[in-house]
Amino acid sequence: MKFFEPLYDRVMSWSRHRHAPRYLAGLSFAESSFFPIPPDVMLAPMAAARPRSAWRLAALTTLFSALGGLLGYLIGWLAFEWIGPWLQQIGYGEELRQAEAWFEIWGVWVVLIAGFSPIPYKLFTVTAGALSMALLPFFIASLVGRGLRFFLVALFMAWAGPRAEQHLRPYMERLGWAAVILLVVAMTIYVVMD
């Protein structure tokens, strides 16, 4: 049974839909505060399918991701006492404590790095609000970190263009499972070293 190839086909069809930019904006907004799927999974195929729109798509993703980060900040600022135990129950307790420790050491730089990295960004937006980080530096760091990430993804995929789709699809199942294995290995190393 194949899992990643049908998912890839579905995302590619969504990326060509006339409302795809709206879906991308919504996904980008939601992922920064509560939704688990990163916008890269939609941005990459959209940029490959529409290379001339890559800059615009990256800018849209960046803006709505940073705006979604403001919602995450608001959630942390207003409801952390309520949401903190829930985050721990669903398995983000250790990551949340780590995020708090990093904020104490590096401050706003953590937001910029988390925005660029594959670390769940929502943990940092909620934590920034819970710690009442200054809002303007938080938003600027979100724009820069998320922008670096999404522009790199969009520009690489635009460069690869539509030919990337035909070259990627035959390997999608292997690439998908390899990504899952790498994630598990990285999490294991992180837990062991902590």
Side-chain angles (χ1 to χ4, degrees):
M1 182 171 130
K2 294 188 177 192
F3 178 74
F4 290 100
E5 281 183 22
L7 185 61
Y8 176 77
D9 291 339
R10 185 171 299 131
V11 169
M12 287 307 289
S13 70
W14 290 344
S15 71
R16 291 183 178 91
H17 192 275
R18 66 185 179 108
H19 295 301
R22 292 180 191 171
Y23 303 150
L24 179 62
L27 176 62
S28 301
F29 183 87
E31 184 271 338
S32 292
S33 51
F34 62 88
F35 197 67
I37 299 173
D40 310 63
V41 299
M42 193 166 186
L43 173 63
M46 286 178 70
R50 306 173 187 188
R52 291 183 180 165
S53 300
W55 282 94
R56 186 177 57 82
L57 294 169
L60 179 77
T61 306
T62 300
L63 176 63
F64 278 89
S65 182
L67 291 173
L70 290 176
L71 176 61
Y73 183 99
L74 187 64
I75 290 169
W77 187 59
L78 293 176
F80 190 75
E81 289 181 22
W82 175 76
I83 201 165
W86 176 74
L87 287 171
Q88 291 185 20
Q89 285 178 350
I90 63 170
Y92 284 121
E94 186 60 37
E95 291 89 346
L96 195 56
R97 285 186 287 283
Q98 187 66 54
E100 289 174 353
W102 287 348
F103 268 106
E104 288 179 23
I105 297 169
W106 294 297
V108 73
W109 291 103
V110 170
V111 176
L112 191 141
I113 292 166
F116 182 75
S117 75
I119 300 168
Y121 184 60
K122 66 193 79 23
L123 292 175
F124 292 89
T125 64
V126 171
T127 304
L131 298 175
S132 298
M133 173 180 263
L135 191 58
L136 185 59
F138 166 79
F139 188 69
I140 291 170
S142 293
L143 281 173
V144 172
R146 297 307 258 179
L148 286 171
R149 174 177 169 168
F150 298 137
F151 275 92
L152 280 174
V153 168
L155 294 177
F156 175 76
M157 292 307 292
W159 172 78
R163 69 182 182 272
E165 180 180 353
Q166 65 192 18
H167 293 295
L168 277 177
R169 192 180 186 296
Y171 303 103
M172 192 49 58
E173 203 63 33
R174 288 185 217 151
L175 288 171
W177 288 112
V180 168
I181 291 168
L182 283 174
L183 180 63
V184 169
V185 168
M187 290 173 62
T188 304
I189 291 171
Y190 174 76
V191 169
V192 169
M193 293 187 76
D194 190 32

